[in-house]
Amino acid sequence: MTVTNQKRNTRLFVGLLLLAGLLHIAANILHNTVPPHYSVNTMLFCAEFAIYSALLFFWLRSIRVRLLPTRAKSYMITLALLMILYLSLRAYKYRIAASVAGMRFSWYVFYAPMIMIPTLFLMVCIRIIRADRTSRLDERLLLAPATALSAIIITNDLHHLVFVPKKGVTEFYGQSGTYTYRLPFYLTYAWMILMILIGVILLIRIVGSGRNKRRILFILAEILLCFLLFKRHD
């Protein structure tokens, strides 16, 4: 890919991200008006979802084409697929689910990609820094606590160790103000923040490396930007 084409694609990528953000703001404004404009709000939501999905599929194709087969590439492909899953689960919860149980369970499940995405982000950074060198501490060990946190949230109905509903569970679907938090919730967010912070520090170390590493850095920066925008929309 030429430098000109790369700059053009970068501008297009950022422009579409900004457009999706503006659509999200407009949908929220219309949702809070009296009376709410449900049809227009739904159209804006669908347009936003389509933009994010298209960007992620383009991004996934870019990873497959531009990077050589490595463990880091496998992590990035998994990461992109998790982002698509995250978007789909949010769309199901807020626009498709017709039952309280469906809304609640999809809300629990989309915490799994939320936890795994920063974890894989850090794993990619570690893999790039290590290159072909081996280490006694495999970066895949990070998946153990991430999986444990995901499992605790998904099974919250069995123990209420993460979210404690103020009313009966039959009326609980994650609406703000209807539940309280317990320690595992704060541990989950601490884990995600820690993974992102360490990953960003490693990204700074990658800057200035060889040409192929700069290409990987660009892709990782896109991953981080998308994830932060998704979190901003929750």
Side-chain angles (χ1 to χ4, degrees):
M1 182 182 293
T2 65
V3 175
T4 302
N5 287 338
Q6 187 171 351
K7 288 182 177 179
R8 183 186 62 197
N9 290 340
T10 301
R11 289 171 185 157
L12 179 62
F13 186 91
V14 173
L16 288 173
L17 277 179
L18 292 174
L19 176 59
L22 292 173
L23 291 174
H24 182 80
I25 293 170
N28 280 344
I29 293 173
L30 290 174
H31 181 73
N32 294 325
T33 58
V34 180
H37 299 275
Y38 291 116
S39 58
V40 179
N41 184 275
T42 300
M43 289 175 60
L44 291 174
F45 179 89
C46 291
E48 179 191 355
F49 179 81
I51 290 172
Y52 279 135
S53 298
L55 286 174
L56 287 172
F57 279 112
F58 170 78
W59 189 14
L60 182 60
R61 178 183 175 277
S62 178
I63 293 170
R64 294 186 62 187
V65 171
R66 292 162 62 185
L67 299 182
L68 295 173
T70 60
R71 192 185 292 182
K73 178 180 178 179
S74 299
Y75 294 159
M76 280 192 272
I77 290 174
T78 305
L79 199 154
L81 292 173
L82 284 171
M83 281 193 171
I84 294 170
L85 174 63
Y86 174 72
L87 279 179
S88 302
L89 287 168
R90 289 188 72 253
Y92 175 80
K93 178 186 186 296
Y94 293 112
R95 298 289 169 171
I96 300 173
S99 66
V100 171
M103 295 174 68
R104 183 175 66 255
F105 188 69
S106 60
W107 177 52
Y108 290 161
V109 173
F110 77 57
Y111 272 92
M114 279 174 56
I115 295 167
M116 290 295 180
I117 287 168
T119 305
L120 283 164
F121 170 69
L122 176 57
M123 289 167 62
V124 173
C125 295
I126 292 173
R127 194 70 258 163
I128 295 171
I129 291 290
R130 287 180 176 173
D132 296 328
R133 298 190 303 271
T134 58
S135 174
R136 289 187 300 173
L137 292 177
D138 194 305
E139 73 276 357
R140 287 174 291 188
L141 292 173
L142 292 170
L143 292 174
T147 301
L149 289 170
S150 300
I152 291 173
I153 293 178
I154 292 172
T155 59
N156 185 71
D157 278 2
L158 301 178
H159 45 66
H160 292 158
L161 291 176
V162 185
F163 307 108
V164 184
K166 295 180 179 179
K167 298 181 180 180
V169 71
T170 55
E171 302 177 22
F172 176 53
Y173 57 91
Q175 185 178 15
S176 179
T178 63
Y179 58 92
T180 57
Y181 304 110
R182 285 189 172 172
L183 181 60
F185 174 82
Y186 299 105
L187 291 176
T188 296
Y189 268 81
W191 175 263
M192 290 190 290
I193 292 170
L194 181 64
M195 296 297 99
I196 292 174
L197 285 177
I198 298 175
V200 169
I201 292 171
L202 293 182
L203 275 183
I204 294 172
R205 290 184 58 187
I206 296 171
V207 174
S209 298
R211 183 176 180 182
N212 190 52
K213 287 190 176 181
R214 287 200 299 271
R215 182 181 301 173
I216 295 173
L217 173 63
F218 174 73
I219 295 173
L220 285 174
E222 291 174 342
I223 291 172
L224 183 60
L225 178 60
C226 277
F227 179 72
L228 293 176
L229 282 173
F230 293 164
K231 284 301 301 154
R232 177 66 181 84
H233 289 176
D234 282 343

